[in-house]
Amino acid sequence: MHGLEAGAQLALHAMRRVAGPSVFRCPVTAERVETARAAMRKLANLLLLSGRKLRLGELGSLEPTPDERTLLNALAAAQADDEDALIAALRWLAGFEPGAEMTETTQIAARAFAEAGWKWGAPASPRAPEPPFGMPPVRAVS
């Protein structure tokens, strides 16, 4: 996949494979990624059974869909122990408040990817540009 590192490719491939026909085999069979792949399949099954239709790319497509990017953000948030970002991503993916099983499964999958050597860190949140000189800064409304 263009622009994604190997761990992200494996995560998306596992999700797409669970959702698609069982004719395709995963191209990665190294022992160190078996746990990550199995955890990702469990997470994929939970998300696919949640009722919201996820927009997934075709096996082998070069670019992840917005839902797949959100899935990668959920894994990155879990690896960074950012509970708020993890819950927000899972809310979007599932279409409702995620339960403990979905949150825990995402954390297990993220840990499995980290143990296989794929760490993504916290998802980058774009920062708004600074206001022009002399203008008061914009503050978040609480």
Side-chain angles (χ1 to χ4, degrees):
M1 291 184 170
H2 179 73
L4 292 177
E5 54 94 36
Q9 291 176 25
L10 179 65
L12 295 183
H13 184 82
M15 175 65 106
R16 290 172 179 175
R17 197 160 167 256
V18 168
S22 60
V23 176
F24 300 103
R25 298 188 56 89
C26 184
V28 181
T29 57
E31 186 176 321
R32 69 186 181 110
V33 300
E34 287 299 319
T35 305
R37 188 170 61 180
M40 193 60 209
R41 282 194 185 141
K42 183 176 180 186
L43 174 60
N45 280 322
L46 282 174
L47 289 170
L48 293 170
L49 293 174
S50 71
R52 181 178 174 276
K53 295 202 185 244
L54 296 175
R55 201 173 125 226
L56 303 177
E58 295 293 323
L59 282 172
S61 73
L62 297 178
E63 286 299 316
T65 66
D67 284 342
E68 290 171 336
R69 285 209 181 273
T70 303
L71 172 68
L72 294 174
N73 282 340
L75 292 170
Q79 284 183 349
D81 293 324
D82 186 344
E83 187 79 21
D84 292 336
L86 172 61
I87 296 298
L90 291 177
R91 267 189 206 129
W92 174 259
L93 289 170
F96 56 83
E97 192 69 28
E101 182 181 18
M102 189 176 289
T103 305
E104 188 175 302
T105 302
T106 306
Q107 291 168 335
I108 290 169
R111 275 195 301 273
F113 277 102
E115 288 169 8
W118 293 305
K119 296 180 183 176
W120 295 299
S125 25
R127 184 180 167 159
E130 294 293 325
F133 181 75
M135 294 198 58
V138 177
R139 305 235 186 269
V141 178
S142 53

